[in-house]
Short mmCIF file of all heavy atoms in Angstrom, two decimals:
data_model
loop_
_atom_site.label_atom_id
_atom_site.label_comp_id
_atom_site.label_asym_id
_atom_site.label_seq_id
_atom_site.Cartn_x
_atom_site.Cartn_y
_atom_site.Cartn_z
N MET A 15 -104.97 147.19 -25.39
CA MET A 15 -105.74 147.22 -24.10
C MET A 15 -107.21 147.40 -24.42
O MET A 15 -108.05 146.79 -23.72
CB MET A 15 -105.33 148.42 -23.24
CG MET A 15 -103.95 148.17 -22.61
SD MET A 15 -104.09 146.88 -21.37
CE MET A 15 -102.86 145.73 -21.95
N ARG A 16 -107.61 148.16 -25.45
CA ARG A 16 -109.04 148.33 -25.79
C ARG A 16 -109.58 147.01 -26.29
O ARG A 16 -110.72 146.62 -25.80
CB ARG A 16 -109.19 149.37 -26.86
CG ARG A 16 -110.67 149.68 -27.11
CD ARG A 16 -110.84 150.84 -28.11
NE ARG A 16 -109.63 151.54 -28.49
CZ ARG A 16 -109.26 151.74 -29.76
NH1 ARG A 16 -110.02 151.29 -30.72
NH2 ARG A 16 -108.23 152.40 -30.04
N THR A 17 -108.88 146.26 -27.09
CA THR A 17 -109.43 144.97 -27.54
C THR A 17 -109.52 144.00 -26.35
O THR A 17 -110.44 143.17 -26.30
CB THR A 17 -108.55 144.42 -28.69
OG1 THR A 17 -107.18 144.29 -28.22
CG2 THR A 17 -108.64 145.22 -29.92
N ARG A 18 -108.52 144.06 -25.44
CA ARG A 18 -108.62 143.19 -24.28
C ARG A 18 -109.79 143.50 -23.42
O ARG A 18 -110.47 142.56 -22.94
CB ARG A 18 -107.33 143.28 -23.51
CG ARG A 18 -107.22 142.32 -22.33
CD ARG A 18 -105.95 142.45 -21.51
NE ARG A 18 -104.84 141.96 -22.37
CZ ARG A 18 -103.58 142.08 -22.00
NH1 ARG A 18 -103.31 142.65 -20.82
NH2 ARG A 18 -102.65 141.61 -22.76
N ARG A 19 -110.11 144.76 -23.25
CA ARG A 19 -111.28 145.18 -22.44
C ARG A 19 -112.60 144.73 -23.12
O ARG A 19 -113.51 144.36 -22.46
CB ARG A 19 -111.27 146.65 -22.21
CG ARG A 19 -110.39 147.12 -21.09
CD ARG A 19 -110.66 148.54 -20.67
NE ARG A 19 -110.72 149.47 -21.84
CZ ARG A 19 -109.67 150.22 -22.25
NH1 ARG A 19 -108.56 150.12 -21.65
NH2 ARG A 19 -109.83 151.03 -23.30
N GLU A 20 -112.56 144.87 -24.49
CA GLU A 20 -113.84 144.52 -25.18
C GLU A 20 -114.05 143.01 -25.16
O GLU A 20 -115.22 142.59 -25.19
CB GLU A 20 -113.71 145.03 -26.61
CG GLU A 20 -113.86 146.54 -26.69
CD GLU A 20 -113.59 147.06 -28.09
OE1 GLU A 20 -113.31 146.25 -28.93
OE2 GLU A 20 -113.73 148.27 -28.29
N LEU A 21 -112.99 142.20 -25.15
CA LEU A 21 -113.18 140.82 -25.10
C LEU A 21 -113.49 140.18 -23.75
O LEU A 21 -113.93 139.07 -23.65
CB LEU A 21 -111.93 140.10 -25.71
CG LEU A 21 -111.65 140.37 -27.18
CD1 LEU A 21 -110.33 139.72 -27.63
CD2 LEU A 21 -112.79 139.84 -28.03
N GLU A 22 -113.16 140.92 -22.68
CA GLU A 22 -113.43 140.45 -21.30
C GLU A 22 -114.91 140.39 -21.09
O GLU A 22 -115.65 141.28 -21.54
CB GLU A 22 -112.77 141.33 -20.32
CG GLU A 22 -111.32 141.16 -20.21
CD GLU A 22 -110.66 142.09 -19.14
OE1 GLU A 22 -111.40 142.89 -18.57
OE2 GLU A 22 -109.50 141.94 -18.93
N PRO A 23 -115.40 139.42 -20.30
CA PRO A 23 -116.82 139.40 -20.01
C PRO A 23 -117.22 140.63 -19.08
O PRO A 23 -116.39 141.02 -18.26
CB PRO A 23 -117.02 138.08 -19.23
CG PRO A 23 -115.68 137.70 -18.75
CD PRO A 23 -114.68 138.32 -19.73
N LYS A 24 -118.42 141.09 -19.28
CA LYS A 24 -118.78 142.27 -18.51
C LYS A 24 -119.21 141.88 -17.15
O LYS A 24 -119.94 140.91 -16.93
CB LYS A 24 -120.04 142.92 -19.19
CG LYS A 24 -119.82 143.32 -20.59
CD LYS A 24 -119.11 144.62 -20.66
CE LYS A 24 -119.14 145.08 -22.11
NZ LYS A 24 -118.01 145.86 -22.44
N VAL A 25 -118.61 142.45 -16.12
CA VAL A 25 -118.88 142.18 -14.73
C VAL A 25 -119.44 143.43 -14.09
O VAL A 25 -118.78 144.49 -14.10
CB VAL A 25 -117.58 141.72 -13.96
CG1 VAL A 25 -117.95 141.44 -12.48
CG2 VAL A 25 -117.02 140.51 -14.63
N HIS A 26 -120.66 143.33 -13.59
CA HIS A 26 -121.28 144.51 -12.95
C HIS A 26 -120.82 144.53 -11.50
O HIS A 26 -121.04 143.61 -10.79
CB HIS A 26 -122.81 144.39 -13.07
CG HIS A 26 -123.31 144.44 -14.46
ND1 HIS A 26 -123.29 145.57 -15.22
CD2 HIS A 26 -123.80 143.52 -15.31
CE1 HIS A 26 -123.74 145.35 -16.45
NE2 HIS A 26 -124.09 144.08 -16.50
N LYS A 27 -120.28 145.64 -11.13
CA LYS A 27 -119.84 145.86 -9.76
C LYS A 27 -121.05 146.26 -8.91
O LYS A 27 -121.87 147.07 -9.33
CB LYS A 27 -118.75 146.84 -9.74
CG LYS A 27 -117.49 146.46 -10.46
CD LYS A 27 -116.50 147.57 -10.33
CE LYS A 27 -115.24 147.24 -11.12
NZ LYS A 27 -114.25 148.32 -11.17
N PRO A 28 -121.14 145.76 -7.67
CA PRO A 28 -122.18 146.24 -6.83
C PRO A 28 -121.98 147.67 -6.45
O PRO A 28 -120.80 148.16 -6.33
CB PRO A 28 -122.11 145.33 -5.60
CG PRO A 28 -120.68 144.80 -5.57
CD PRO A 28 -120.31 144.76 -7.04
N VAL A 29 -123.09 148.39 -6.28
CA VAL A 29 -122.93 149.80 -5.97
C VAL A 29 -122.53 149.94 -4.52
O VAL A 29 -123.10 149.42 -3.61
CB VAL A 29 -124.31 150.53 -6.16
CG1 VAL A 29 -124.27 151.98 -5.81
CG2 VAL A 29 -124.76 150.33 -7.61
N SER A 30 -121.38 150.63 -4.33
CA SER A 30 -120.88 150.85 -3.00
C SER A 30 -121.49 152.05 -2.42
O SER A 30 -121.80 153.05 -3.09
CB SER A 30 -119.34 150.96 -3.01
OG SER A 30 -119.00 152.07 -3.74
N PRO A 31 -121.71 152.09 -1.04
CA PRO A 31 -122.30 153.25 -0.48
C PRO A 31 -121.34 154.47 -0.62
O PRO A 31 -120.14 154.31 -0.71
CB PRO A 31 -122.52 152.87 1.00
CG PRO A 31 -121.52 151.79 1.21
CD PRO A 31 -121.40 151.08 -0.10
N SER A 32 -121.94 155.63 -0.60
CA SER A 32 -121.08 156.84 -0.70
C SER A 32 -120.25 157.04 0.60
O SER A 32 -120.23 156.13 1.40
CB SER A 32 -121.94 158.03 -1.04
OG SER A 32 -122.88 158.18 -0.01
N ALA A 33 -119.72 158.16 0.76
CA ALA A 33 -118.90 158.47 1.90
C ALA A 33 -119.56 158.03 3.19
O ALA A 33 -120.70 158.33 3.48
CB ALA A 33 -118.53 159.93 1.93
N PRO A 34 -118.82 157.30 4.01
CA PRO A 34 -119.43 156.82 5.29
C PRO A 34 -119.78 157.97 6.25
O PRO A 34 -119.01 158.93 6.37
CB PRO A 34 -118.37 155.93 5.89
CG PRO A 34 -117.09 156.30 5.20
CD PRO A 34 -117.41 156.91 3.93
N GLY A 35 -120.93 157.84 6.85
CA GLY A 35 -121.39 158.91 7.79
C GLY A 35 -120.76 158.68 9.13
O GLY A 35 -120.07 157.68 9.36
N PRO A 36 -121.10 159.53 10.08
CA PRO A 36 -120.50 159.42 11.42
C PRO A 36 -121.01 158.15 12.22
O PRO A 36 -120.33 157.65 12.96
CB PRO A 36 -120.94 160.68 12.17
CG PRO A 36 -122.07 161.20 11.35
CD PRO A 36 -121.94 160.76 9.95
N ASN A 37 -122.28 157.71 11.94
CA ASN A 37 -122.81 156.56 12.65
C ASN A 37 -122.90 155.38 11.66
O ASN A 37 -123.85 154.61 11.80
CB ASN A 37 -124.15 156.89 13.30
CG ASN A 37 -125.10 157.47 12.32
OD1 ASN A 37 -124.77 157.63 11.15
ND2 ASN A 37 -126.28 157.81 12.82
N ASN A 38 -122.08 155.26 10.69
CA ASN A 38 -122.10 154.18 9.73
C ASN A 38 -121.09 153.14 10.19
O ASN A 38 -119.92 153.40 10.21
CB ASN A 38 -121.81 154.68 8.33
CG ASN A 38 -122.00 153.62 7.31
OD1 ASN A 38 -122.52 152.56 7.58
ND2 ASN A 38 -121.70 153.97 6.04
N ASN A 39 -121.55 151.90 10.49
CA ASN A 39 -120.63 150.83 10.86
C ASN A 39 -120.50 149.89 9.66
O ASN A 39 -121.40 149.76 8.84
CB ASN A 39 -121.15 150.11 12.13
CG ASN A 39 -121.13 150.98 13.33
OD1 ASN A 39 -120.42 151.98 13.39
ND2 ASN A 39 -122.05 150.71 14.31
N SER A 40 -119.46 149.10 9.66
CA SER A 40 -119.25 148.15 8.59
C SER A 40 -120.21 147.01 8.69
O SER A 40 -120.50 146.33 7.68
CB SER A 40 -117.81 147.65 8.60
OG SER A 40 -117.57 146.94 9.82
N SER A 41 -120.88 146.74 9.88
CA SER A 41 -121.75 145.63 10.04
C SER A 41 -123.15 145.98 9.56
O SER A 41 -123.98 145.13 9.37
CB SER A 41 -121.83 145.19 11.47
OG SER A 41 -122.29 146.26 12.26
N GLN A 42 -123.48 147.31 9.35
CA GLN A 42 -124.74 147.72 8.93
C GLN A 42 -124.88 147.50 7.36
O GLN A 42 -123.93 147.62 6.65
CB GLN A 42 -125.04 149.20 9.21
CG GLN A 42 -125.15 149.51 10.67
CD GLN A 42 -125.40 150.99 10.87
OE1 GLN A 42 -125.05 151.78 9.99
NE2 GLN A 42 -125.90 151.37 12.04
N GLN A 43 -126.13 147.19 6.97
CA GLN A 43 -126.40 147.11 5.54
C GLN A 43 -126.56 148.50 4.98
O GLN A 43 -127.11 149.37 5.65
CB GLN A 43 -127.67 146.27 5.36
CG GLN A 43 -127.52 144.77 5.74
CD GLN A 43 -126.58 144.06 4.82
OE1 GLN A 43 -126.45 144.42 3.69
NE2 GLN A 43 -125.96 142.97 5.30
N PRO A 44 -126.16 148.72 3.78
CA PRO A 44 -126.44 150.06 3.18
C PRO A 44 -127.87 150.23 2.96
O PRO A 44 -128.61 149.32 2.69
CB PRO A 44 -125.62 149.99 1.84
CG PRO A 44 -125.40 148.55 1.57
CD PRO A 44 -125.38 147.86 2.90
N ALA A 45 -128.39 151.50 3.08
CA ALA A 45 -129.75 151.77 2.96
C ALA A 45 -130.16 151.58 1.50
O ALA A 45 -129.43 152.00 0.60
CB ALA A 45 -130.04 153.19 3.39
N THR A 46 -131.33 151.00 1.27
CA THR A 46 -131.85 150.82 -0.08
C THR A 46 -132.98 151.81 -0.34
O THR A 46 -133.77 152.06 0.57
CB THR A 46 -132.32 149.34 -0.32
OG1 THR A 46 -133.35 149.10 0.61
CG2 THR A 46 -131.19 148.41 -0.24
N VAL A 47 -133.06 152.33 -1.55
CA VAL A 47 -134.08 153.29 -1.86
C VAL A 47 -134.92 152.67 -2.98
O VAL A 47 -134.39 152.21 -3.93
CB VAL A 47 -133.51 154.62 -2.32
CG1 VAL A 47 -134.61 155.60 -2.76
CG2 VAL A 47 -132.62 155.20 -1.23
N THR A 48 -136.25 152.61 -2.74
CA THR A 48 -137.10 152.06 -3.78
C THR A 48 -138.00 153.19 -4.28
O THR A 48 -138.60 153.93 -3.55
CB THR A 48 -138.02 150.98 -3.14
OG1 THR A 48 -137.21 150.05 -2.54
CG2 THR A 48 -138.88 150.36 -4.23
N PHE A 49 -138.02 153.30 -5.64
CA PHE A 49 -138.85 154.27 -6.25
C PHE A 49 -140.06 153.67 -6.80
O PHE A 49 -140.06 152.63 -7.43
CB PHE A 49 -138.07 154.96 -7.47
CG PHE A 49 -136.86 155.79 -7.00
CD1 PHE A 49 -135.58 155.28 -7.08
CD2 PHE A 49 -137.07 157.04 -6.50
CE1 PHE A 49 -134.52 156.06 -6.63
CE2 PHE A 49 -135.98 157.79 -6.09
CZ PHE A 49 -134.73 157.29 -6.18
N THR A 50 -141.22 154.26 -6.44
CA THR A 50 -142.46 153.81 -6.92
C THR A 50 -143.08 154.82 -7.91
O THR A 50 -142.97 156.03 -7.61
CB THR A 50 -143.50 153.51 -5.83
OG1 THR A 50 -143.61 154.70 -5.03
CG2 THR A 50 -142.98 152.42 -4.92
N PRO A 51 -143.64 154.35 -9.06
CA PRO A 51 -144.22 155.38 -9.95
C PRO A 51 -145.39 156.04 -9.36
O PRO A 51 -146.18 155.48 -8.63
CB PRO A 51 -144.59 154.55 -11.22
CG PRO A 51 -144.63 153.14 -10.68
CD PRO A 51 -143.74 153.03 -9.49
N VAL A 52 -145.52 157.31 -9.61
CA VAL A 52 -146.69 158.10 -9.07
C VAL A 52 -147.52 158.48 -10.24
O VAL A 52 -147.05 158.89 -11.29
CB VAL A 52 -146.12 159.35 -8.37
CG1 VAL A 52 -147.28 160.26 -7.90
CG2 VAL A 52 -145.22 158.94 -7.27
N ASP A 53 -148.85 158.39 -10.06
CA ASP A 53 -149.79 158.69 -11.08
C ASP A 53 -150.01 160.19 -11.04
O ASP A 53 -150.61 160.74 -10.14
CB ASP A 53 -151.10 157.92 -10.84
CG ASP A 53 -151.97 158.04 -12.05
OD1 ASP A 53 -151.50 158.41 -13.12
OD2 ASP A 53 -153.17 157.67 -11.93
N VAL A 54 -149.45 160.88 -12.04
CA VAL A 54 -149.58 162.30 -12.05
C VAL A 54 -150.44 162.71 -13.22
O VAL A 54 -150.19 162.31 -14.39
CB VAL A 54 -148.18 163.00 -12.23
CG1 VAL A 54 -148.29 164.51 -12.30
CG2 VAL A 54 -147.26 162.51 -11.09
N HIS A 55 -151.47 163.50 -12.99
CA HIS A 55 -152.37 164.02 -13.99
C HIS A 55 -152.12 165.49 -14.21
O HIS A 55 -152.16 166.26 -13.28
CB HIS A 55 -153.83 163.77 -13.64
CG HIS A 55 -154.16 162.33 -13.54
ND1 HIS A 55 -154.31 161.49 -14.62
CD2 HIS A 55 -154.33 161.53 -12.44
CE1 HIS A 55 -154.59 160.27 -14.23
NE2 HIS A 55 -154.57 160.21 -12.86
N MET A 56 -151.87 165.83 -15.46
CA MET A 56 -151.69 167.24 -15.78
C MET A 56 -153.02 167.77 -16.28
O MET A 56 -153.72 167.13 -17.02
CB MET A 56 -150.67 167.36 -16.91
CG MET A 56 -149.27 166.89 -16.57
SD MET A 56 -148.47 167.91 -15.35
CE MET A 56 -148.20 169.37 -16.27
N GLU A 57 -153.39 168.94 -15.79
CA GLU A 57 -154.60 169.58 -16.22
C GLU A 57 -154.38 170.33 -17.54
O GLU A 57 -153.36 170.94 -17.70
CB GLU A 57 -155.15 170.52 -15.14
CG GLU A 57 -155.61 169.90 -13.90
CD GLU A 57 -156.13 170.87 -12.91
OE1 GLU A 57 -156.51 172.00 -13.33
OE2 GLU A 57 -156.24 170.56 -11.73
#
């Protein structure tokens, strides 16, 4: 089984949303979070 898994092509699964909230419908798109680098200066 290990050799079979190593020989299979790697398929990245899309990240599924965590537990559905009370107002989460299947027609809504999952929320995306974008991180932007912040310029932090240490004194």
Side-chain angles (χ1 to χ4, degrees):
M15 286 293 124
R16 187 175 352 129
T17 55
R18 184 179 291 174
R19 279 193 310 265
E20 290 173 357
L21 293 177
E22 286 179 355
K24 303 279 188 211
V25 177
H26 296 288
K27 296 179 183 175
V29 177
S30 61
S32 58
N37 54 0
N38 188 5
N39 295 336
S40 60
S41 63
Q42 291 180 341
Q43 294 290 334
T46 58
V47 178
T48 305
F49 292 101
T50 57
V52 177
D53 192 15
V54 177
H55 295 286
M56 298 290 292
E57 293 182 18

